């Protein structure tokens, strides 16, 4: 693991955006594994700015997102598709038909998970996987569990994740209880993983994930076994390390 210390959120965002920009510049056909949450917003802002200045071109890139809430259509204000459109896709030239997210309206979870895994496979996996991290060290929506889930799967969200994500909804009752999430196989098979973290509420997750035992109770700890992981964390997120 390469740990890059950032001063604060803005510094983390700039450093992460530079790595993604380098990836797309060196290989315009890159398959980007993208993430939602408040952490990557600053990173996406830089990518949009550089695209708008003509410094970046996403015209040949592919994006495959980590997860989506079950029961929300792509038009729902809190759906991850809508988040990606508002924060990135609507402002860059990544082709709409090459920006993939799970379909939260698909009620047949077996079918939807198989479809999503096929998409990942057809693109020969992910070149650069961007990850945030949950307070309980979840990545994507891979929640603490008794074993690591391999493929795309339907997840029952933990109380802590529901509580953390309530801030985006009117109240806790509105937060979907289930989600589709890419599994650990696609994440671990990504050629490079870039995990970003900011703020004191991520300090325990960062310490447990990268300085503790590898266990499915700490989902991000599996990244200790990946041979090309870059962690960019700010001082507050590294406070316990
Ligand atoms: C959500 C997402 C994760 C994200 C995490 C942290 O549950 N499924 O992909 O990394 O929350 O979010 P934030 O960056 O807002 O702290």
């Amino acid at each position: 693991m390469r740990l890059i210390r950032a001063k604060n959120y803005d510094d983390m965002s700039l450093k992460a955006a530079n790595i993604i920009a380098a990836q797309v510049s060196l290989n315009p056909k890159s398959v980007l594994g993208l993430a939602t949450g408040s952490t990557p917003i600053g990173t996406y802002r830089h990518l949009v700015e550089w695209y708008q200045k003509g410094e970046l071109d996403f015209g040949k890139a592919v994006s495959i997102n980590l997860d989506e809430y079950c029961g929300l259509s792509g038009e729902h204000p809190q759906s991850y598709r809508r988040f990606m459109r508002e924060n990135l896709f609507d402002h860059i030239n990544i082709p709409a038909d090459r920006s993939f997210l799970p379909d939260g309206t698909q009620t047949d979870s077996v079918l939807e998970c198989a479809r999503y895994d096929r998409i990942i496979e057809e693109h020969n996996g992910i070149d650069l996987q961007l990850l945030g991290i949950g307070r309980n060290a979840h990545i994507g929506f891979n929640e603490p569990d008794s074993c690591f889930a391999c493929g795309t799967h339907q997840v029952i969200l933990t109380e802590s994740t529901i509580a953390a994500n309530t801030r985006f909804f009117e109240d806790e009752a509105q937060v979907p209880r289930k989600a589709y999430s890419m599994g650990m196989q696609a994440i671990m098979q990504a050629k490079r993983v870039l995990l970003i973290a900011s703020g004191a509420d991520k300090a325990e997750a960062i310490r447990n994930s990268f300085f503790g035992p590898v266990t499915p109770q700490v989902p991000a700890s599996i990244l200790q076994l990946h041979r090309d992981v870059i962690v960019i964390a700010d001082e507050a997120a590294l406070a316990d390390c």
Side-chain angles (χ1 to χ4, degrees), residues 9 12-13 35-45 83 130 132 196:
Y9 179 82
M12 175 205 76
S13 302
T36 51
S38 35
T39 312
I41 290 176
T43 303
Y44 293 152
R45 214 172 279 145
F83 172 98
L130 177 66
I196 53 177

Side-chain angles (χ1 to χ4, degrees), residues 36-39 66-67 80 132-134 138 140-141 161 165 167 202:
T36 51
S38 35
T39 312
L66 281 166
D67 45 16
Y80 283 166
I133 188 167
H138 71 240
F141 267 134
T161 298
N165 290 356
R167 68 189 194 279
K202 300 296 170 67

Side-chain angles (χ1 to χ4, degrees), residues 181-199:
S181 178
M182 193 185 275
M184 292 304 194
Q185 192 173 23
I187 294 172
M188 290 300 283
Q189 286 178 352
K191 293 190 185 73
R192 169 170 280 177
V193 174
L194 172 59
L195 184 141
I196 53 177
S198 169

